[in-house]
Structure formats: C-alpha cells, structure tokens
Amino acid sequence: MLKNYLITAFRAFRRNWNYSVINVVGLTLSLACCLLLFVVIRYELSFDRHHAKADHTYRLIRHFTKPEDGYNVGIPLPVLAALRTDFPALKQQLTYIHDVRRPVVAVEEGRSKGNMRRFQEENGVVAFTEPEFFRLFDYEWVSGDPATALNRPGTVVLSEDLAHKYFGNADPMGRTLKVENKMDFLVTGIVKNPPVTSSIPFHVLLSFSSLKQYGANTNWDDWGSSYTGAQLYLTLPETMAETTMEQQLVPFLRKHISEEEARDQFYELQPLTDIHYTVGMTAFNERTIGKEMIWAMALIGLFLLVTACVNFVNLATAQAIRRSKEVGVRKVLGSSRFQLVRQFLGETGFLTGLAVLLALLIAHFSLSSVAELLNIKLVVSLFGDPVVLGFLILLAVFTTVLAGFYPALVLSGYQPVLALKGKIRASKSGQLTLRRSLIVLQFTISQTLIIGTVIVYNQMDYFRNADLGFRKESIVMIPIPEKKPGQLESLKAKLTGLPGLGAMSFGISSPSARGNWWTGFRYENREKEEDYGVVMRPADTSYVRTYGLKLIAGRINLPADTMREVLVNERFVAKLGLRNPEEILNKTIQLNGRRLPIVGVVKDFNTFSLHQTTEPCVLTTHRDAYGNLGVQVSGNATRVKETLASVEAAWSETFPDFLFKYEFLDDTIANFYAAEERLYALFRLLAGIAIFIGCLGLYGVVAFMAESRTKEVGIRKALGASTSHIFGLFSFQFLKLVFIALLLAAPIAWYFTDKWLQDFAYKIEIKWWMFALAGLLAGVIALVTVSFQSIRAALMNPVTSLRSE
C-alpha cells in the first residue's frame, strides 16, 4: 500500500511538475526560514540556563524614583560587606564582579624577561571577582582549586582560550601576566571556556582582593557613587522568595543611608535568566534582545509557513477538477474516503519531505550568514542535533496536515457519479471564495511585513541623518590609558602641526556616549541639591571647537587642570526655569563641594543615543577624567591612513606600554543602533521571502485560471476583445484582493510598529503615505506576477484555442 501511494505521488508530481515545483520551492524557503529562526530563538532562550542555580540567582539593581524613574545596575562597593554582615545566611552566596574596560594584558615572550607581548581585550573579558563567584556560577575546571585559586591578591584564573592566546601550548599554571601595566597576576587556575550563551562571559578572572592595590577608581566607603561595570550577584535559598528578600532590603537600605536618600531609591532583584532580555540595562556582553523581538521572529516564521501552505491549498483545490475522474474511478473500485484522504495526504507528505531535505541543506549553508547578520555565535550542527531533527520532523508533520488536509477532504468528497460524468465545476464547488480569501491572507502577511520594513527604514534613516548638535564626520576617537604627569601635553605637542590633522581635544568621551558620569548639584545659594542630576562632560577648552558645538551665550571656559569654570547646555537652563540663556551667566553651581561660575551656554547636543532624551549637561576642565582624544582628520582615504600612521607613531612613543586603538566617531554612533540595523536587515529579508512565496502561488493560480479559461478568452477575442481588456480581466480581480489585504494589514502593522517606536525618545511620525507606498509596492508586484500569464493568454491566437470546438 505504501509503495502504491509513493508511485501515485511521484506520478502526480511528474504530471503536474510546474505546480509541484511552485509548491516545493515555496515550502522549501518557508521551512528553511522556520528552521533558521528556530535555531536563533533556541539560542536566545538558552542564555544562562547552563548554571545549576540559574533559577535562584539574581543581580541586585537600584531602582530610582527621582528625578525620573530609572535603574542602575552598578552597586556601590560598601553594599557587599554590609549585606554579608546583615544577612549572614547569604555570606557565601554573594559575589561582586568588577569589569575592567578594554584593558591591555601583557605577557612575557617565552621565559625571557622584559620582552612583552601585549593584547587589547574588549569589555566583558577581564574582571575582578571573589572565590564565591564559583559557588554561584558554573565553570568546569581544568587546573587549580576553585576554593583557593582567587584567595590571595595577585592571582588570576584563565579560560582555556585565553591561556592558549597568552602562552601558546606551554603550561600556563604559575606564569604571570600584567594588566594595564599596573600589576602582575599569577595564574592559579584554568577553566573551560564559558558558553557563548552567558551573561557572565569573563575569560580572565582577577582576585578581588587585588582591586585596591590595582588602583581601581572606586570609592570604598561611598554608598552613592557607582560604576555600571561593578555589579553584585546573589543566590537565594530555595525556600526564600524573591519578593521576601526585596522586602528585607528596604530596612537594610534605610539603615545605611539617610532617610531622604532612601525615599528616592530602593533595591530590586533581577533574575539572572532575565538579564539577556532586558534592553537598555547594561549587560557585560553588551548585547541584549527583548523577548518581544524573539516572539516576533517566531510569529514571522509561522507567517512564512502559512504563506507557503496557502500556495499548496490554492493550487491543490484549483486542480481538483482535473482529478475528479480519478477519484470517481477509485471510489467505484471500492476505495473509502479515509483511504483517499490518506493517499492525498501521502502525496502532500512526499512533497513536504522533499522540501524538508532541501530546506535542511539551505539552512546548513546559510547558518553562518544568519549568525553574522544577527551578531550571534551559533555553535550547532543541524545534521547531528537531535533537538533540531526532532523539530524538523514535527514541522514536516504540521506542514503536511496544514497544507494537505483540506485539499484531501475536498478531493475525497466528490460523488463518483458526478465525477465520472464530468459535472463537477469549480464555480459550484465553493472553492473560489476560499482561494480568494487565502490570497488575501497571503498579501495581508506580505503587506504587514512591507509596512514594517518601510517604517523601520525611515526610523533608521532618521538615526543616520538626525542633527545631533555636534560634528561627527571625520573625527577619530583614540582611547587614552592611565596617564602620568606631562604625557597629555607631550602627545599634543607631537601631534600639533602633523599634516591632515585639525582641531583636537582631550575629554572623558565624545558628546554622545553610552556611559555617562551623573552627579547632583546645587544652584546658586539654594539649601538643597536639585531633584535631578546632570551629565558631566569633563574636557579641555578645545572641546567645543573640535566637535563643532555652538556657543549661544557667554564664552569658552579658561584652560585649567581642575574644575574652575563651567559651560552648560540649553536643557540645563530650561530645567532651572530660565527662559533666556543670558540669565544664567555668572551664576554659580556647587559640584563635588566646589562652587563654580557658569561662563557660557552651548546649544543642546545629544548626550546619549537617540533612544534617550537630551539631559542637562555640564562641560568643565578636569584633567584626571580625560579618557579619550578626539582628532579632526581630513583628506582622501590614503591621506587619512598616512595621517593615522603618524598619529600612531606619536601615541606609541608617548605610551610605549600600551596598544594604539582608534575608531571613527560616526562609526561609534552608528553602533548605538546596531540592534535596529540588524532588525531592519531581518525584516527586509523576511518580507522579501514572504512576497516571493506569495507571488509564486499567485503565479500558479493565474496560470491555472488562464489554462482553464482558454476557450473563454478565445471567444472574447473572436468577438473583438482587445489585449488590454483580456489583461484587465485577469488583473483587476487580484488588485481588489491586494487592496482588501492592505486594509487588513494597515492596522496590524501600525499597532506593532508604533509599539516598537515607543522605545525611542526621538522618532519619526507614522504617516499615511507609508501605508500607501506598501500597498502600491504590493499592487505592482502582484500586477507584474499576473501579467506573465494574462498577457500570454491575451496574445494567444483564438483559432488555436477554439479549434477543438
């Protein structure tokens, strides 16, 4: 019986090869997309699940209620000791992680003294932590003892990758490395590499007891100051609820800070397994994705599968009349309806199985490109992963039932007498309305994705071209390591006058930055600090000229090494309730215990990315805080390359123990929106595939209509119908369906894109023309698809089509 079904399926495939190819291509593309999206979603949902205590481990965060509702993942250092004192049961279940940002790690060449190799590491690679770290987080040990490896100052545990990177094939145990040219660390342990699906991705773990000797810029007794890279984690007993601990943290905080400060903040516990999905809250791996986006990908995958199955149903029901006599003969010979349903589902299963095999091959060869597009590290074998293969089997069964069940019911339901007499007509079978409804469904899905793509494109275009209030083109940002007296002046003297260089400025960062220094302040002689903070931008007096900031009142502050005078932005003025920038000149503010005069006002510039509003900002000199050098460059690509080579030579001469790195400011700002760029690329790709699958089905339906109406077209042409009339006969009914689909797609697309745009402080307004453009594109695509068959039918010689009559 099975052999008979396979032979019948193969004959049906060969007899209607053109429609079969359309079905297989559509199913292959949709199944490949579903498989790839499944792999991506599985990757995203697996973050931090490898830790045995993941469900009971939390990150401590500060929730502020004033001046605005917000969070800070940085925890002041004294909190760690206070928690261990006040909650002795958690003493061994707490740990502190202090990330070292972009450090230079130096190791000796072989066993020779003085000859050093240097490596620039990224954020989230090197951190100070405690032995308790290994109680909370699971690392597989290769060498060393987790209980003692980080007990002593000056010790370090390395991952296998970093151990091989620093020391090659030699045994790393007992070797030393130097971090930021400050301190030597002895290797006391080697662990397996942390999984790529980890929010705690560190490969170099330094002993926390070395932090003070290392000279980290940390206030050991201040409960107010914090650093976002210094985070506290804890594991609760299985008997203690998260809410219970949060309630106990309220009196804990009031015990250690003033009543006034405690009113505006409280501590919360964020589950470890939620960190990866909290967009906008700092993670060590600097990559987060909202769960809404993950489920959106799953929904799009389902849409693509439904689109391909709609093709199958449409083409199968359209061709049902052709097989009516076959059904009649089989029923006369004794076949039951159940047997016929099984046969037709078997034919669908045959095509689905072929599509699954082709989809698996496409997904295999596309996996690396998808990983690169989404900036993820996929480590999976599609052919050897039982979960992936199990998903494919379920997907194949689901697709077979979804695509084949209704056509099988229709075909098996024909009455043998009517079927053998040829009295079954498509127009009377109730299938025409269904096919039209399914085409509307296909184009609703396609136009929803097109509208989404158009809106995302316009938002991305706004990001690229928005006026940020400062110059970002042709400026190179060069990180400055910890400096000694005179080094900044020496570097500036060497760079001054180099060909291709313009203005240059030392500062804490560029005008727009991810990390910012917030502080409170007191205006004039007011008794209390304002109930909002300001963003500090310590920089030298060339900052305004280098970045093209616009001075709208007063003057530039005078050169100094410490805070002497300040500039403020328009937002600062407005927040104080002043209408004219001139009103604030020569007034004073108190910062860090010092009273400083306001000597100028600059036009607002974006202190953050466009995800956030521009905040009150203070520019002042403060040499110790300068961490970057911004330099204007000019000339063509070759000239700029030569200029940067000269800059590197001067920089390396000034800082011989560090590595020269640079980044163009416009690239840095573009990276603020890397996640949105990836989203746009994904939308564009999936929308294109959905449209292509829909057009395949539309082409097949039109081809069948043209074939079945050959004689009608011949009669119309014999009676004088023009080619354009015949073309319109086929085209107009499909354009109506596209328009109906637009009416359905528009509110769906508006709802989801409007919700997405809420994440941005600065965003485009959704306009009517975006929906009209999507409808026009879908209409043109449908028209072009229909035109191939309709024009062919219109140009056919009526004598040929009517000859049999």
Side-chain angles (χ1 to χ4, degrees), residues 65-364:
T65 56
K66 284 186 178 181
E68 295 176 351
D69 194 73
Y71 297 88
N72 188 351
V73 298
I75 299 298
L77 194 56
V79 175
L80 177 64
L83 280 173
R84 284 190 170 135
T85 301
D86 292 8
F87 298 92
L90 299 177
K91 189 172 183 178
Q92 301 296 319
Q93 303 300 323
L94 295 167
T95 194
Y96 202 76
I97 302 172
H98 189 286
D99 185 22
V100 184
R101 297 295 173 92
R102 293 179 56 83
V104 172
V105 177
V107 296
E108 293 177 348
E109 286 273 17
R111 295 283 180 178
S112 60
K113 295 288 184 181
N115 191 13
M116 307 292 284
R117 287 189 303 142
R118 294 179 175 83
F119 304 88
Q120 177 87 59
E121 301 297 353
E122 296 299 323
N123 297 340
V125 174
V126 181
F128 287 91
T129 193
E130 309 171 288
E132 288 79 7
F133 176 88
F134 299 109
R135 291 178 178 268
L136 276 68
F137 305 111
D138 296 331
Y139 277 72
E140 187 178 345
W141 283 75
V142 177
S143 302
D145 181 358
T148 60
L150 295 179
N151 270 354
R152 294 179 291 110
T155 53
V156 59
V157 173
L158 300 177
S159 70
E160 285 185 314
D161 272 359
L162 270 291
H164 185 268
K165 176 180 176 180
Y166 296 155
F167 304 108
N169 294 323
D171 183 6
M173 294 293 286
R175 301 286 295 274
T176 60
L177 54 83
K178 186 183 288 288
V179 179
E180 285 288 279
N181 202 39
K182 289 182 178 181
M183 184 175 174
D184 290 331
F185 291 87
L186 179 72
V187 179
T188 54
I190 305 295
V191 294
K192 294 282 188 182
N193 301 322
V196 294
T197 54
S198 177
S199 298
I200 314 292
F202 298 104
H203 288 255
V204 180
L205 297 162
L206 309 170
S207 56
F208 189 73
S209 53
S210 309
L211 188 60
K212 186 173 286 189
Q213 182 183 346
Y214 175 81
N217 186 19
T218 301
N219 194 326
W220 296 82
D221 302 312
D222 186 357
W223 279 72
S225 64
S226 63
Y227 156 53
T228 54
Q231 302 180 11
L232 193 149
Y233 292 78
L234 66 157
T235 298
L236 296 181
E238 293 185 15
T239 55
M240 179 181 283
E242 173 187 345
T243 52
T244 303
M245 183 63 190
E246 287 180 334
Q247 290 169 1
Q248 293 179 16
L249 288 171
V250 174
F252 165 81
L253 187 61
R254 289 176 178 167
K255 174 182 175 182
H256 294 282
I257 64 175
S258 68
E259 185 72 26
E260 184 179 350
E261 290 176 310
R263 279 200 302 268
D264 300 337
Q265 61 178 292
F266 57 91
Y267 284 133
E268 287 184 3
L269 298 181
Q270 180 187 25
L272 174 66
T273 50
D274 284 353
I275 291 176
H276 180 63
Y277 314 109
T278 311
V279 178
M281 198 174 288
T282 305
F284 287 127
N285 60 11
E286 296 187 347
R287 182 188 172 275
T288 56
I289 181 172
K291 281 195 173 178
E292 297 85 357
M293 188 54 58
I294 294 174
W295 301 129
M297 287 192 287
L299 190 61
I300 290 172
L302 179 62
F303 281 168
L304 291 175
L305 186 61
V306 168
T307 300
C309 290
V310 163
N311 284 354
F312 198 101
V313 172
N314 272 341
L315 292 177
T317 54
Q319 296 177 78
I321 306 302
R322 288 181 176 181
R323 302 191 67 177
S324 59
K325 286 190 171 69
E326 175 193 342
V327 172
V329 170
R330 287 182 179 275
K331 283 196 169 185
V332 168
L333 293 176
S335 290
S336 66
R337 186 172 189 181
F338 174 73
Q339 287 175 317
L340 290 172
V341 168
R342 194 166 59 181
Q343 176 198 329
F344 293 130
L345 278 177
E347 293 177 11
T348 305
F350 173 76
L351 293 180
T352 303
L354 181 59
V356 164
L357 293 176
L358 294 173
L360 189 58
L361 288 174
I362 291 174
H364 174 72

Side-chain angles (χ1 to χ4, degrees), residues 410-632:
V410 171
L411 285 166
S412 63
Y414 288 152
Q415 296 297 321
V417 175
L418 295 176
L420 291 172
K421 287 183 178 181
K423 292 186 177 182
I424 295 177
R425 296 287 182 268
S427 59
K428 295 181 181 180
S429 64
Q431 296 155 20
L432 192 59
T433 302
L434 174 68
R435 284 202 295 275
R436 288 175 176 171
S437 300
L438 292 177
I439 290 171
V440 169
L441 175 62
Q442 277 186 321
F443 274 92
T444 300
I445 292 171
S446 299
Q447 289 189 81
T448 299
L449 292 174
I450 293 174
I451 294 168
T453 303
V454 169
I455 292 173
V456 173
Y457 168 79
N458 279 274
Q459 180 65 23
M460 296 311 303
D461 186 62
Y462 175 75
F463 283 155
R464 297 186 197 104
N465 301 306
D467 181 7
L468 302 178
F470 62 90
R471 172 181 174 174
K472 64 178 180 178
E473 295 79 14
S474 301
I475 292 184
V476 175
M477 299 301 300
I478 305 169
I480 299 296
E482 190 164 322
K483 54 266 177 198
K484 298 176 182 177
Q487 282 185 313
L488 295 186
E489 293 75 13
S490 173
L491 178 60
K492 192 167 187 178
K494 291 170 185 173
L495 295 178
T496 301
L498 283 180
L501 287 187
M504 64 187 75
S505 172
F506 292 104
I508 191 172
S509 67
S510 59
S512 286
R514 289 184 186 274
N516 287 281
W517 175 7
W518 286 86
T519 188
F521 75 100
R522 187 176 300 173
Y523 180 64
E524 283 286 85
N525 295 316
R526 294 180 181 178
E527 294 182 1
K528 295 171 55 178
E529 287 191 349
E530 303 302 315
D531 61 358
Y532 57 90
V534 294
V535 176
M536 295 291 292
R537 280 284 182 273
D540 63 20
T541 54
S542 300
Y543 194 83
V544 171
R545 182 162 58 96
T546 301
Y547 295 102
L549 302 182
K550 297 175 183 176
L551 188 70
I552 59 174
R555 60 173 175 82
I556 302 294
N557 48 344
L558 297 174
D561 288 340
T562 58
M563 296 184 188
R564 295 288 180 83
E565 300 174 330
V566 302
L567 301 175
V568 298
N569 65 350
E570 291 176 295
R571 180 68 175 155
F572 186 101
V573 176
K575 198 82 171 172
L576 287 171
L578 305 176
R579 295 185 178 182
N580 190 340
E582 301 285 344
E583 295 179 48
I584 206 170
L585 297 180
N586 299 318
K587 298 292 193 295
T588 61
I589 60 173
Q590 187 170 319
L591 287 171
N592 297 334
R594 301 186 63 180
R595 187 166 296 280
L596 307 171
I598 299 172
V599 298
V601 180
V602 295
K603 191 173 180 61
D604 277 343
F605 58 89
N606 284 92
T607 45
F608 304 96
S609 70
L610 294 173
H611 294 85
Q612 298 167 265
T613 56
T614 296
E615 298 292 345
C617 183
V618 170
L619 284 75
T620 183
T621 52
H622 187 28
R623 187 182 184 281
D624 290 344
Y626 300 164
N628 283 277
L629 171 63
V631 183
Q632 293 180 2

Side-chain angles (χ1 to χ4, degrees), residues 475-479 661-668 671:
I475 292 184
V476 175
M477 299 301 300
I478 305 169
K661 294 284 184 180
Y662 69 88
E663 187 173 20
F664 283 93
L665 180 55
D666 50 359
D667 290 337
T668 302
N671 284 334

Side-chain angles (χ1 to χ4, degrees), residues 702-768:
V702 175
F704 178 80
M705 288 178 59
E707 183 181 338
S708 62
R709 299 175 69 178
T710 300
K711 289 183 174 60
E712 176 193 341
V713 172
I715 293 171
R716 287 180 180 274
K717 290 203 71 176
L719 295 176
S722 65
T723 301
S724 59
H725 175 78
I726 301 298
F727 175 73
L729 185 69
F730 283 93
S731 305
F732 181 67
Q733 59 179 304
F734 289 106
L735 287 179
K736 283 196 299 183
L737 300 181
V738 170
F739 179 71
I740 293 171
L742 175 63
L743 296 180
L744 295 174
I748 298 171
W750 176 84
Y751 174 79
F752 286 105
T753 52
D754 182 68
K755 195 171 182 180
W756 175 70
L757 287 171
Q758 298 308 313
D759 290 336
F760 308 110
Y762 301 96
K763 53 185 176 286
I764 61 168
E765 183 180 346
I766 298 177
K767 301 287 185 64
W768 66 268

Side-chain angles (χ1 to χ4, degrees), residues 183 261 376 382 590 659 791:
M183 184 175 174
E261 290 176 310
I376 59 180
L382 296 183
Q590 187 170 319
L659 295 175
I791 292 175

